Amino acid sequence: MAASARTERREQMSNRDGEHLKKFEAWLSYLVVSITSFLCFLYFRLLNRTRVVGRKNIPRRSQNILLVSNHRSLHDSWIIGVAGYFPEILFYPSQTPYNLAAKENFFKSWIAGFILKLCRTVPVERKKFNRGFLLSVISLLKKGNVCIFYQATRSFDIAEAKGGVSFIINNSDPRPIVLPIYLENTEKLFGGGPGQKPKLSSYLPRFPWFGRKITVSFGKPINFADILKDENHPNSHERISQIIVEKIGSLASDLHPNKSNPIPV
C-alpha cells in the first residue's frame, strides 16, 4: 500500500512538472514570436515598402482558418504573418498561423529547428509529403490556423496547383474557412526565388536592404462547405483547386487592372 502511495505521488509530481513545462514553452514561444515578428516588421514594413491589400478580409479567429497562398520566396510565411497578424499577435498569440517549411532548407541545425518550432513552424520532408502528413495538418486546424502554399514549391506559375490543399479542405470536418493570398515580388527581398536552389545567400536580405516594393493581397474568405454543397460537383478535389487558382488569379488581376498579363515575373 505504501508503494502504491509513492507511485501515485510520483505520477502527480510528474503531471505537475509536465504542466509547468508546457506553460514555460508557451511563454517562450510567445517571447520568440513577438521578437521575430517585430524584427520582421522593421525589415518588411519600414525598411522596405510592403503594400498590404485586403487586410480587413482576415477572419480574427484562433482555429480552422487555412491561409492559402502562392509561393515565391523562402520567407513568404514570415511576410504573410507580419502583413496579416502584426501587431495583433502580441495581444492574441493564438491567432499566429502554423507554417510548413521544408526540413532540408530550415531545420539543418537543432538551434534553428528549436527556434522555428517555437514560432509554430512545422518541418516537412518532401519524401514524406503524403496522406499521413496531410492528415496531421488537418489535426493542426482543430487547434490553430495554418498557412500553406498550394503550389507546393516556389513558382511564378499561379495556375500550378498541387492536390495537397484540396485534400486538406475536402477531408476536414468541419471544413476550414480558406483565406486566399497573393504575393508579389517577395523574391526580391531575398535570394532563393522560383527555380533557384537554396544556398546561404538565399536566407540573407538582398543588397540594398531597403526600398524594395512587395505586395501581399488578402482575398475574401471562401466557405467551401457551402460552395460544394450548392454545386454538387462530381470531382470536389478538382473544383477546390480550380476555385483557389481563380481567386488568387483575380487578386493578381485586381492589382494590375490595365495590364493584359497582370502576373509580373
Side-chain angles (χ1 to χ4, degrees):
M1 190 159 181
S4 177
R6 286 196 297 270
T7 301
E8 185 177 347
R9 283 197 298 271
R10 282 197 295 267
E11 289 178 352
Q12 290 175 349
M13 292 177 64
S14 177
N15 291 335
R16 284 198 298 268
D17 291 342
E19 291 175 2
H20 292 324
L21 181 59
K22 287 182 179 179
K23 289 180 180 179
F24 175 74
E25 288 179 349
W27 277 106
L28 187 59
S29 175
Y30 172 77
L31 181 63
V32 172
V33 168
S34 298
I35 293 173
T36 54
S37 297
F38 179 71
L39 294 176
C40 288
F41 174 80
L42 291 179
Y43 181 66
F44 296 141
R45 300 298 301 272
L46 297 185
L47 291 180
N48 292 281
R49 296 179 294 164
T50 300
R51 177 189 176 194
V52 182
V53 180
R55 202 171 189 270
K56 64 180 183 300
N57 292 326
I58 303 174
R60 296 302 172 182
R61 288 169 38 180
S62 299
Q63 63 182 30
N64 212 35
I65 301 296
L66 186 64
L67 294 83
V68 180
S69 174
N70 63 314
H71 195 15
R72 297 179 69 138
S73 84
L74 291 170
H75 301 78
D76 287 343
S77 296
W78 298 94
I79 295 171
I80 290 171
V82 169
Y85 291 90
F86 189 85
E88 286 85 351
I89 56 175
L90 299 179
F91 309 99
Y92 306 100
S94 60
Q95 292 186 8
T96 307
Y98 287 95
N99 302 297
L100 311 181
K103 186 174 182 179
E104 64 270 21
N105 292 338
F106 289 96
F107 290 80
K108 293 181 178 180
S109 70
W110 73 268
I111 297 177
F114 178 71
I115 294 174
L116 287 170
K117 286 181 179 179
L118 290 175
C119 292
R120 291 195 168 196
T121 302
V122 180
V124 179
E125 295 185 58
R126 295 186 185 277
K127 295 181 179 179
K128 296 183 180 179
F129 195 79
N130 52 24
R131 179 186 176 91
F133 175 77
L134 295 175
L135 289 174
S136 69
V137 176
I138 292 174
S139 298
L140 274 181
L141 283 167
K142 297 183 184 299
K143 61 179 182 179
N145 302 325
V146 177
C147 179
I148 192 169
F149 302 109
Y150 70 95
Q151 297 155 302
T153 188
R154 286 161 286 133
S155 174
F156 287 117
D157 184 7
I158 64 172
E160 180 185 359
K162 299 296 174 63
V165 172
S166 63
F167 178 91
I168 292 170
I169 296 170
N170 212 33
N171 290 276
S172 297
D173 185 23
R175 284 195 173 97
I177 297 298
V178 175
L179 184 70
I181 303 170
Y182 173 67
L183 301 177
E184 184 173 286
N185 293 332
T186 57
E187 75 283 355
K188 294 184 177 180
L189 293 181
F190 299 89
Q196 298 178 9
K197 187 176 181 179
K199 50 187 178 181
L200 179 60
S201 60
S202 303
Y203 303 91
L204 302 175
R206 282 184 169 180
F207 183 84
W209 305 299
F210 57 88
R212 297 181 183 272
K213 185 178 180 180
I214 67 174
T215 302
V216 184
S217 181
F218 297 94
K220 293 183 178 180
I222 308 170
N223 189 336
F224 278 102
D226 292 341
I227 293 175
L228 296 177
K229 181 179 179 181
D230 294 340
E231 292 187 356
N232 195 25
H233 197 276
N235 190 332
S236 56
H237 286 281
E238 180 182 302
R239 182 58 178 147
I240 288 171
S241 296
Q242 181 184 14
I243 291 173
I244 288 173
V245 169
E246 288 175 354
K247 295 293 184 181
I248 292 179
S250 178
L251 293 175
S253 299
D254 290 343
L255 295 177
H256 307 280
N258 297 323
K259 292 186 179 180
S260 57
N261 181 17
I263 315 301
V265 176

